[in-house]
Amino acid sequence: MVRGANTKPHRLYTRGKVLGYRRSHHLQNPNQSLVKIEGVNTSKDVQYYLGKRVVWVYKGKTKDTKGSRVRSIWGRITGAHGNSGVARAKFAHNLPARALGASVRVMLYPSSI
């Protein structure tokens, strides 16, 4: 496929930010993270993203067996948190503290349309 002068590559994800862990006054649950998705402002908007995959991409200190320092932790959007468009996500491995405030990619698949 040849790209023309006025075509842009398509992005298969939307951006999001990790706000923190799901918590109460006294306890926090590191197995559930809160993600603010770009352009989502109500809990009804979150319904579209239920079941979509989420990935946090980061760089490790040493290269892995394939020669790359880039690593990722995958998760899934599980529900809404509150009324302002924040989503709950469960990751395969709990996100470390350095991921709080970091950017994540909310993939637009699997599609339910």
Side-chain angles (χ1 to χ4, degrees):
M1 180 177 135
V2 178
R3 286 192 196 144
N6 57 1
T7 61
K8 294 188 333 187
H10 297 288
R11 204 176 52 191
L12 292 177
Y13 64 89
T14 58
R15 297 184 193 107
K17 288 275 186 197
V18 178
L19 300 181
Y21 302 125
R22 185 176 180 205
R23 55 169 308 192
S24 66
H25 285 292
H26 304 292
L27 300 173
Q28 68 180 10
N29 298 319
N31 61 337
Q32 294 184 6
S33 300
L34 301 178
V35 176
K36 177 64 179 166
I37 304 169
E38 200 175 72
V40 176
N41 296 320
T42 64
S43 58
K44 288 190 177 183
D45 295 342
V46 175
Q47 298 300 317
Y48 171 77
Y49 291 96
L50 290 183
K52 301 279 193 268
R53 307 279 314 265
V54 186
V55 62
W56 175 56
V57 180
Y58 64 101
K59 285 188 178 176
K61 286 189 176 182
T62 59
K63 293 185 178 182
D64 63 359
T65 56
K66 296 178 184 172
S68 174
R69 290 180 50 208
V70 178
R71 295 181 174 89
S72 60
I73 299 177
W74 286 85
R76 207 172 276 279
I77 299 290
T78 58
H81 179 80
N83 296 318
S84 62
V86 176
R88 282 181 291 142
K90 279 193 130 176
F91 286 85
H93 300 285
N94 297 347
L95 289 182
R98 79 180 239 201
L100 303 183
S103 296
V104 292
R105 296 176 180 182
V106 181
M107 300 299 176
L108 297 178
Y109 55 83
S111 178
S112 58
I113 296 176

